[in-house]
């Protein structure tokens, strides 16, 4: 019997503030048994360093990714990393068997490049391939405020079939810590592509349930 074909989700991390969103998404994908192909833009390396103190290096990506995610390197067996400048990478071709792509977080520059099909780096190239192949693409934009040009680009992405998902946490789930609010956004990203997770408490139509669940027992 032949082995099952690997079909990863491509996670693209651009240089916007919000790298904890990407880390939460990657951890949840792996916990769900999904394979991950990772593309980290050059600007994102600086943001990861600034927000976590971790240097993300091509030659040591597995060790650096484990430190970023808070896991052991042995837990990353189903992760492949592609440098942002590698236009010959597997996901740059439509024949590569990816399930889709999640851009988390997405800068306004990445939004523009994807909407216009510029393919300035591997992240933008893979997003363009994802759109042309009619695969799921989620763009988790992390910027405020948004100007008219970016709003037009987001409308264009929506018209091309992408899911535009702002990094906007909801509070009805009862989140009271930064980690819980980050996980809420990551969970909504995964909801958009149908990946199961337990990152946040779902709304069930009962007012005040989150506060009651958080209250200490009497």
């Amino acid at each position: 019997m032949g082995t099952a074909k690997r079909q990863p989700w491509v996670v693209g991390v651009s240089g916007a503030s919000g790298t904890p969103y990407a880390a939460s998404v990657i951890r949840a994908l792996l916990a769900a048994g999904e394979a991950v192909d990772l593309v980290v833009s050059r600007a994102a390396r600086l943001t990861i360093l600034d927000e976590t103190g971790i240097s993300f290096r091509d030659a040591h990506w597995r060790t650096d990714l484990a430190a970023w995610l808070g896991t052991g390197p042995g837990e990353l067996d189903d992760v492949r990393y592609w440098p942002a400048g590698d236009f010959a990478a597997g996901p740059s071709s439509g024949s590569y068997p990816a399930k889709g792509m999640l851009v988390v977080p997405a800068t306004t520059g990445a939004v523009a490049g994807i909407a216009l099909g510029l393919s300035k780096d591997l992240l933008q190239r893979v997003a363009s391939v994802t759109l042309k192949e009619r695969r799921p693409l989620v763009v988790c934009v992390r910027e405020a405020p948004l100007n008219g040009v970016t709003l037009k680009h987001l409308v264009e992405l929506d018209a091309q079939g992408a899911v535009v998902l702002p990094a906007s946490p909801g509070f009805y789930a009862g989140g009271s810590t930064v980690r819980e609010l980050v996980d809420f956004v990551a969970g909504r990203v995964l909801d958009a592509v149908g990946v199961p997770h337990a990152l946040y408490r779902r709304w069930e139509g009962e007012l005040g349930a989150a506060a009651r669940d958080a209250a200490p027992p009497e």
Side-chain angles (χ1 to χ4, degrees), residues 23 37 44 80 83 127 129 150 160 169 173 186 191:
D37 276 22
R80 288 183 183 172
V129 168
T150 299
Q160 293 184 41
D191 287 345

Side-chain angles (χ1 to χ4, degrees), residues 52-183:
T52 70
I54 296 168
S55 297
F56 198 93
R57 302 159 293 176
D58 286 349
H60 304 280
W61 71 266
R62 188 175 295 275
T63 300
D64 296 340
L65 179 60
W68 179 28
L69 300 183
T71 64
E75 299 176 58
L76 304 177
D77 290 342
D78 216 356
V79 178
R80 288 183 183 172
Y81 170 69
W82 304 97
D86 184 5
F87 283 90
S92 68
S93 171
S95 65
Y96 188 78
K99 288 185 176 180
M101 184 177 190
L102 315 173
V103 183
V104 187
T107 62
T108 55
V111 166
I114 297 167
L116 299 175
L118 298 181
S119 295
K120 293 180 66 175
D121 61 9
L122 181 62
L123 188 153
Q124 293 183 21
R125 169 61 185 168
V126 177
S128 295
V129 168
T130 302
L131 287 174
K132 81 179 182 67
E133 296 295 326
R134 303 296 192 266
R135 295 169 183 160
L137 172 64
V138 180
V139 178
C140 186
V141 60
R142 215 306 307 161
E143 187 61 85
L146 297 173
N147 64 27
V149 173
T150 299
L151 290 170
K152 290 177 181 177
H153 289 153
L154 293 173
V155 170
E156 175 60 27
L157 286 176
D158 177 79
Q160 293 184 41
V163 174
V164 175
L165 197 153
S168 177
F171 293 84
Y172 62 82
S176 58
T177 66
V178 171
R179 176 65 180 270
E180 288 172 328
L181 297 177
V182 165
D183 284 349

Side-chain angles (χ1 to χ4, degrees), residues 198-216:
L199 289 174
Y200 68 89
R201 176 188 174 278
R202 296 185 180 278
W203 174 252
E204 296 179 348
E206 185 179 358
L207 293 174
R212 287 196 296 275
D213 292 345

